[in-house]
PDB file of all heavy atoms in Angstrom:
ATOM      1  N   PHE H1777     -13.997   1.035   7.078  1.00  0.00           N
ATOM      2  CA  PHE H1777     -14.843   2.229   7.067  1.00  0.00           C
ATOM      3  C   PHE H1777     -15.764   2.220   8.282  1.00  0.00           C
ATOM      4  O   PHE H1777     -16.395   1.210   8.594  1.00  0.00           O
ATOM      5  CB  PHE H1777     -15.664   2.275   5.781  1.00  0.00           C
ATOM      6  CG  PHE H1777     -14.818   2.347   4.538  1.00  0.00           C
ATOM      7  CD1 PHE H1777     -14.535   1.197   3.810  1.00  0.00           C
ATOM      8  CD2 PHE H1777     -14.270   3.553   4.119  1.00  0.00           C
ATOM      9  CE1 PHE H1777     -13.743   1.251   2.682  1.00  0.00           C
ATOM     10  CE2 PHE H1777     -13.470   3.616   2.999  1.00  0.00           C
ATOM     11  CZ  PHE H1777     -13.204   2.456   2.274  1.00  0.00           C
ATOM     12  N   THR H1778     -15.818   3.367   8.948  1.00  0.00           N
ATOM     13  CA  THR H1778     -16.613   3.538  10.161  1.00  0.00           C
ATOM     14  C   THR H1778     -17.623   4.654   9.939  1.00  0.00           C
ATOM     15  O   THR H1778     -17.266   5.747   9.491  1.00  0.00           O
ATOM     16  CB  THR H1778     -15.711   3.910  11.354  1.00  0.00           C
ATOM     17  OG1 THR H1778     -14.752   2.876  11.542  1.00  0.00           O
ATOM     18  CG2 THR H1778     -16.530   4.080  12.622  1.00  0.00           C
ATOM     19  N   ALA H1779     -18.888   4.385  10.229  1.00  0.00           N
ATOM     20  CA  ALA H1779     -19.938   5.403  10.132  1.00  0.00           C
ATOM     21  C   ALA H1779     -20.251   5.921  11.530  1.00  0.00           C
ATOM     22  O   ALA H1779     -20.232   5.159  12.507  1.00  0.00           O
ATOM     23  CB  ALA H1779     -21.193   4.828   9.483  1.00  0.00           C
ATOM     24  N   LYS H1780     -20.539   7.217  11.613  1.00  0.00           N
ATOM     25  CA  LYS H1780     -20.809   7.825  12.919  1.00  0.00           C
ATOM     26  C   LYS H1780     -21.751   9.001  12.778  1.00  0.00           C
ATOM     27  O   LYS H1780     -22.031   9.489  11.670  1.00  0.00           O
ATOM     28  CB  LYS H1780     -19.505   8.306  13.545  1.00  0.00           C
ATOM     29  CG  LYS H1780     -18.875   9.492  12.835  1.00  0.00           C
ATOM     30  CD  LYS H1780     -17.658  10.018  13.587  1.00  0.00           C
ATOM     31  CE  LYS H1780     -17.131  11.294  12.948  1.00  0.00           C
ATOM     32  NZ  LYS H1780     -18.083  12.431  13.075  1.00  0.00           N
ATOM     33  N   ARG H1781     -22.211   9.479  13.912  1.00  0.00           N
ATOM     34  CA  ARG H1781     -23.000  10.718  13.944  1.00  0.00           C
ATOM     35  C   ARG H1781     -22.099  11.882  13.525  1.00  0.00           C
ATOM     36  O   ARG H1781     -20.954  11.991  13.975  1.00  0.00           O
ATOM     37  CB  ARG H1781     -23.520  10.971  15.359  1.00  0.00           C
ATOM     38  CG  ARG H1781     -24.535   9.971  15.856  1.00  0.00           C
ATOM     39  CD  ARG H1781     -24.942  10.309  17.284  1.00  0.00           C
ATOM     40  NE  ARG H1781     -25.429  11.669  17.397  1.00  0.00           N
ATOM     41  CZ  ARG H1781     -26.667  12.015  17.773  1.00  0.00           C
ATOM     42  NH1 ARG H1781     -27.537  11.067  18.069  1.00  0.00           N
ATOM     43  NH2 ARG H1781     -27.023  13.265  17.869  1.00  0.00           N
ATOM     44  N   LYS H1782     -22.615  12.741  12.689  1.00  0.00           N
ATOM     45  CA  LYS H1782     -21.806  13.845  12.189  1.00  0.00           C
ATOM     46  C   LYS H1782     -21.538  14.892  13.267  1.00  0.00           C
ATOM     47  O   LYS H1782     -20.543  15.634  13.194  1.00  0.00           O
ATOM     48  CB  LYS H1782     -22.480  14.495  10.977  1.00  0.00           C
ATOM     49  CG  LYS H1782     -21.589  15.503  10.264  1.00  0.00           C
ATOM     50  CD  LYS H1782     -22.247  16.041   8.982  1.00  0.00           C
ATOM     51  CE  LYS H1782     -22.266  15.000   7.885  1.00  0.00           C
ATOM     52  NZ  LYS H1782     -22.745  15.546   6.587  1.00  0.00           N
ATOM     53  N   ASP H1783     -22.379  14.971  14.291  1.00  0.00           N
ATOM     54  CA  ASP H1783     -22.155  15.984  15.334  1.00  0.00           C
ATOM     55  C   ASP H1783     -21.079  15.563  16.332  1.00  0.00           C
ATOM     56  O   ASP H1783     -20.769  16.311  17.257  1.00  0.00           O
ATOM     57  CB  ASP H1783     -23.457  16.334  16.057  1.00  0.00           C
ATOM     58  CG  ASP H1783     -24.139  15.139  16.692  1.00  0.00           C
ATOM     59  OD1 ASP H1783     -23.690  13.997  16.434  1.00  0.00           O
ATOM     60  OD2 ASP H1783     -25.127  15.323  17.434  1.00  0.00           O
ATOM     61  N   ILE H1784     -20.525  14.395  16.157  1.00  0.00           N
ATOM     62  CA  ILE H1784     -19.391  13.959  16.974  1.00  0.00           C
ATOM     63  C   ILE H1784     -18.110  14.248  16.205  1.00  0.00           C
ATOM     64  O   ILE H1784     -17.952  13.809  15.070  1.00  0.00           O
ATOM     65  CB  ILE H1784     -19.481  12.456  17.296  1.00  0.00           C
ATOM     66  CG1 ILE H1784     -20.683  12.179  18.198  1.00  0.00           C
ATOM     67  CG2 ILE H1784     -18.194  11.975  17.962  1.00  0.00           C
ATOM     68  CD1 ILE H1784     -20.894  10.699  18.500  1.00  0.00           C
ATOM     69  N   GLN H1785     -17.221  14.997  16.832  1.00  0.00           N
ATOM     70  CA  GLN H1785     -15.928  15.287  16.206  1.00  0.00           C
ATOM     71  C   GLN H1785     -14.940  14.180  16.590  1.00  0.00           C
ATOM     72  O   GLN H1785     -14.589  14.031  17.763  1.00  0.00           O
ATOM     73  CB  GLN H1785     -15.413  16.655  16.660  1.00  0.00           C
ATOM     74  CG  GLN H1785     -16.302  17.815  16.231  1.00  0.00           C
ATOM     75  CD  GLN H1785     -15.775  19.153  16.709  1.00  0.00           C
ATOM     76  OE1 GLN H1785     -14.562  19.373  16.754  1.00  0.00           O
ATOM     77  NE2 GLN H1785     -16.671  20.070  17.077  1.00  0.00           N
ATOM     78  N   TRP H1786     -14.531  13.436  15.582  1.00  0.00           N
ATOM     79  CA  TRP H1786     -13.665  12.274  15.798  1.00  0.00           C
ATOM     80  C   TRP H1786     -12.984  11.950  14.489  1.00  0.00           C
ATOM     81  O   TRP H1786     -13.583  12.095  13.411  1.00  0.00           O
ATOM     82  CB  TRP H1786     -14.504  11.092  16.278  1.00  0.00           C
ATOM     83  CG  TRP H1786     -13.765   9.808  16.494  1.00  0.00           C
ATOM     84  CD1 TRP H1786     -13.076   9.433  17.596  1.00  0.00           C
ATOM     85  CD2 TRP H1786     -13.673   8.708  15.572  1.00  0.00           C
ATOM     86  NE1 TRP H1786     -12.559   8.163  17.434  1.00  0.00           N
ATOM     87  CE2 TRP H1786     -12.908   7.697  16.198  1.00  0.00           C
ATOM     88  CE3 TRP H1786     -14.164   8.474  14.284  1.00  0.00           C
ATOM     89  CZ2 TRP H1786     -12.621   6.478  15.577  1.00  0.00           C
ATOM     90  CZ3 TRP H1786     -13.879   7.276  13.662  1.00  0.00           C
ATOM     91  CH2 TRP H1786     -13.116   6.283  14.307  1.00  0.00           C
ATOM     92  N   GLN H1787     -11.726  11.523  14.564  1.00  0.00           N
ATOM     93  CA  GLN H1787     -10.970  11.203  13.356  1.00  0.00           C
ATOM     94  C   GLN H1787     -10.569   9.733  13.367  1.00  0.00           C
ATOM     95  O   GLN H1787      -9.990   9.250  14.340  1.00  0.00           O
ATOM     96  CB  GLN H1787      -9.707  12.069  13.266  1.00  0.00           C
ATOM     97  CG  GLN H1787      -8.834  11.778  12.058  1.00  0.00           C
ATOM     98  CD  GLN H1787      -7.587  12.641  12.020  1.00  0.00           C
ATOM     99  OE1 GLN H1787      -7.626  13.814  12.398  1.00  0.00           O
ATOM    100  NE2 GLN H1787      -6.461  12.063  11.597  1.00  0.00           N
ATOM    101  N   SER H1788     -10.881   9.024  12.291  1.00  0.00           N
ATOM    102  CA  SER H1788     -10.473   7.623  12.186  1.00  0.00           C
ATOM    103  C   SER H1788      -8.973   7.547  11.947  1.00  0.00           C
ATOM    104  O   SER H1788      -8.343   8.499  11.485  1.00  0.00           O
ATOM    105  CB  SER H1788     -11.221   6.924  11.054  1.00  0.00           C
ATOM    106  OG  SER H1788     -10.865   7.491   9.803  1.00  0.00           O
ATOM    107  N   ALA H1789      -8.403   6.392  12.255  1.00  0.00           N
ATOM    108  CA  ALA H1789      -6.967   6.168  12.095  1.00  0.00           C
ATOM    109  C   ALA H1789      -6.713   5.302  10.862  1.00  0.00           C
ATOM    110  O   ALA H1789      -7.611   4.582  10.414  1.00  0.00           O
ATOM    111  CB  ALA H1789      -6.408   5.479  13.338  1.00  0.00           C
ATOM    112  N   PRO H1790      -5.496   5.333  10.318  1.00  0.00           N
ATOM    113  CA  PRO H1790      -5.148   4.439   9.204  1.00  0.00           C
ATOM    114  C   PRO H1790      -4.837   3.044   9.720  1.00  0.00           C
ATOM    115  O   PRO H1790      -3.816   2.438   9.390  1.00  0.00           O
ATOM    116  CB  PRO H1790      -3.922   5.124   8.596  1.00  0.00           C
ATOM    117  CG  PRO H1790      -3.271   5.807   9.742  1.00  0.00           C
ATOM    118  CD  PRO H1790      -4.398   6.274  10.625  1.00  0.00           C
ATOM    119  N   ALA H1791      -5.734   2.527  10.567  1.00  0.00           N
ATOM    120  CA  ALA H1791      -5.550   1.229  11.223  1.00  0.00           C
ATOM    121  C   ALA H1791      -6.919   0.788  11.724  1.00  0.00           C
ATOM    122  O   ALA H1791      -7.895   1.532  11.663  1.00  0.00           O
ATOM    123  CB  ALA H1791      -4.563   1.348  12.383  1.00  0.00           C
TER     124      ALA H1791
END
Side-chain angles (χ1 to χ4, degrees):
F1777 299 98
T1778 301
K1780 69 174 186 67
R1781 293 178 55 118
K1782 189 175 288 187
D1783 57 351
I1784 294 177
Q1785 296 179 36
W1786 178 84
Q1787 178 181 323
S1788 65

